[in-house]
Amino acid sequence: MSLPMASIAVVGQGLAGTLLAWQLERSGADFRVFDSGHGAAASRVAAGIVNPVTGQRLARTWRFEELAPPAREIYREIGRALGIPLWHDRRVRRRFRNGAERALWATRQARGELVPFAGAADGDGFWIEGAAHVDVAALLTATRDRWRRAGRLVEGPADIARLQERHELVILCTGAALRAEPWFVRLPWAVAKGEMLVLDAAGLAPEVILNCGHWLLPLGGDRAKVGATYAPGRDDLVPEPAARAELERSAAALLERNFSVRAHEVGLRLGLPDKRPVAGRCPGAPGLAVLGGLGSKGVLLAPWLARQWLDHLSAGTPFDPAVDVARFWPDPAGVRKIM
């Protein structure tokens, strides 16, 4: 698919900006990526887990059957082009935290709500099929190097006003920094601090993600990551001793073996009250646009949103109403929840 000739600036090279820029590149668009480093971005430390059944409510992930196959396809395509594997199929071993969670599973299973992803329960939990792990760190590093070599990456702070003068379209993909952008400050953003630990532990099953309140993700060899804490309203990047202790307890329970902590990571995640991301042009300023608020499902949502941008730019296709930023206009205080 080719795009009409236009100069496009993608501001931010986190997960959202990277998937968008990849779609622009493969379409032959004239684009540049502007990024000052991943800083507080959630993408910097993202686990990259794709899971069809999540949360305390054991809920099916929103639109999973629709979004997962094309996500798998694009990550594998990018991996082939970059010469690195990005998408890894996984199983999740979900352990029951208590009797109430076991009863909830039984109710959902009896209603067929977890089919075909969740199997029968055994003594302490159940298996979830169809999950995956996307190597986000490798994706960001390799694409950054690619666009730097191609002269498409401009590193350093971006002056949005100047970019608007030089480019026909400026798309902001700046994660938590979107809260301070004048055109999008009116959105009811919610930020949350998340902390994770990188571990060394022997004898890990590489294809199995463990989950019981927190998840534990094998990264290859003896390396693993455990997380994530969730602190709504916190926007600092200071590692908290209490969060580390909480995660160490979870790691001990999940691993049931010795481990050591290699690193303590912190990131900020941006979301919205209706739990949906935003994409689209700013009403009143069509040369300025946004892609963000991906929350905890970024690796699943980013390819779909980037594809919507490609369809919009090539054919004028409207954005899905569930994610169109226009849903927050004209009343900045009213949030119309779209399921």
Side-chain angles (χ1 to χ4, degrees):
M1 179 183 296
S2 61
L3 296 182
M5 293 303 295
S7 176
I8 301 172
V10 176
V11 184
Q13 198 247 323
L15 187 61
T18 295
L19 269 294
L20 174 59
W22 186 269
Q23 290 285 13
L24 294 174
E25 178 182 334
R26 74 203 293 253
S27 70
D30 176 17
F31 75 97
R32 293 293 183 275
V33 178
F34 297 82
D35 186 83
S36 58
H38 299 135
S43 300
R44 179 176 57 88
V45 296
I49 295 173
V50 178
N51 190 350
V53 179
T54 61
Q56 297 183 23
R57 297 175 52 249
L58 301 180
R60 291 173 68 122
T61 296
W62 184 65
R63 296 192 181 183
F64 186 85
E65 291 91 335
E66 173 191 351
L67 303 184
R72 182 189 303 113
E73 180 180 346
I74 193 65
Y75 286 120
R76 286 178 171 170
E77 173 194 304
I78 299 172
R80 289 191 297 268
L82 299 175
I84 53 174
L86 294 176
W87 179 280
H88 306 274
D89 291 316
R90 294 290 182 260
R91 307 174 74 202
V92 176
R93 174 60 178 173
R94 176 70 181 249
R95 297 180 183 173
F96 294 126
R97 290 187 293 174
N98 48 47
E101 191 166 275
R102 178 186 288 274
L104 177 61
W105 168 86
T107 298
R108 294 204 180 282
Q109 192 76 342
R111 294 173 179 170
E113 296 173 0
L114 304 183
V115 175
F117 303 112
D122 51 32
D124 65 349
F126 63 98
W127 289 94
I128 301 171
E129 307 293 343
H133 167 231
V134 175
D135 192 337
V136 177
L139 168 67
L140 299 184
T141 299
T143 50
R144 192 176 190 86
D145 290 343
R146 177 188 182 94
W147 293 324
R148 183 187 291 117
R149 292 193 303 270
R152 292 193 177 276
L153 175 68
V154 180
E155 298 179 276
D159 185 325
I160 304 303
R162 291 191 66 185
L163 290 181
Q164 288 180 277
E165 294 173 358
R166 298 179 178 182
H167 299 272
E168 294 172 65
L169 180 62
V170 178
I171 307 176
L172 303 181
C173 308
T174 51
L178 284 170
R179 295 173 299 158
E181 296 293 349
W183 282 100
F184 300 107
V185 71
R186 65 187 294 170
L187 272 64
W189 299 111
V191 68
K193 176 181 179 180
E195 303 187 49
M196 292 136 282
L197 301 179
V198 181
L199 312 175
D200 285 328
L204 299 171
E207 74 285 356
V208 176
I209 300 169
L210 303 176
N211 188 297
C212 185
H214 293 114
W215 44 257
L216 190 140
L217 170 70
L219 297 175
D222 293 340
R223 193 69 51 83
K225 182 175 284 192
V226 62
T229 61
Y230 178 72
R234 292 285 301 276
D235 61 0
D236 65 275
L237 294 173
V238 179
E240 297 288 343
R244 173 170 175 150
E246 177 185 350
L247 293 171
E248 286 181 339
R249 288 192 295 270
S250 290
L254 288 166
L255 287 170
E256 299 178 330
R257 71 194 74 186
N258 293 330
F259 65 90
S260 60
V261 177
R262 175 176 288 267
H264 186 171
E265 299 178 333
V266 184
L268 300 180
R269 179 181 294 146
L270 194 67
L272 289 155
D274 60 4
K275 310 298 184 185
R276 304 290 179 254
V278 287
R281 297 176 185 264
C282 178
L288 187 64
V290 66
L291 175 54
L294 275 62
S296 62
K297 304 295 191 298
V299 290
L300 188 62
L301 293 170
W304 176 57
L305 296 166
R307 180 67 196 196
Q308 286 194 55
W309 259 114
L310 190 65
D311 293 342
H312 174 74
L313 292 171
S314 61
T317 305
F319 292 91
D320 188 304
V323 302
D324 193 335
V325 69
R327 73 189 190 270
F328 293 107
W329 268 264
D331 179 10
V335 177
R336 179 166 54 93
K337 186 172 182 180
I338 305 173
M339 302 301 294

